[in-house]
Amino acid sequence: MRSEVWALMTAACWAVGSLLEKRGVKLGGLSPVMGTTIRSAFSLILLSFLSYPFWHQLKTAGPKSISLIAVGGGLLSGCLGIIFLYTGLKNGNLSTVMTIAFCLAPVLGAVLGYFFLNERLSPIQVTGIALCVIGAAMTVYFRGN
């Protein structure tokens, strides 16, 4: 399957997941930290089973690889990023929070890839990045609150 299809499926899961998470945190009167804990606990249980056939890879991955994933995915994305997302979802509109978080994350990723991974950006990609920023700004500015 093409990477773009996987990206669309990711976007769909994150959009529906965020909707359900917003409702759950609000309905239960939960703090963003508790919402993140519940989310992470259920993720850990499912991922433990799904990853079992690949556990042998830990022996050859090396500490640097594991540390990069632990800090990037575990600490920044999985913990702090989700706590910040839940805080935004609890206090703001789904449309505004989702637009800022999920429009600007790929923009920042593209910029980081350009500066730190020497990835090239075509003029059309730069135009797309600009349109994402403009679209996110318009969503916030015209949110109708």
Side-chain angles (χ1 to χ4, degrees), residues 4 8 15 17 32-33 52 62 68 72 80 84-85 87 90 97 107-108 122 125 138-139 143-144:
E4 294 84 1
L8 285 171
V33 173
Y52 181 73
L68 288 169
L80 294 177
F84 299 153
L85 175 67
T87 302
K90 187 170 184 178
V97 173
V107 167
L108 294 172
S122 69
Q125 288 174 307
M138 289 175 65
T139 301
R143 69 179 168 259

Side-chain angles (χ1 to χ4, degrees), residues 16-31:
V16 173
S18 294
L19 170 71
L20 297 174
E21 290 165 328
K22 176 178 177 62
R23 295 193 69 186
V25 167
K26 195 167 189 143
L27 181 66
L30 300 169
S31 72

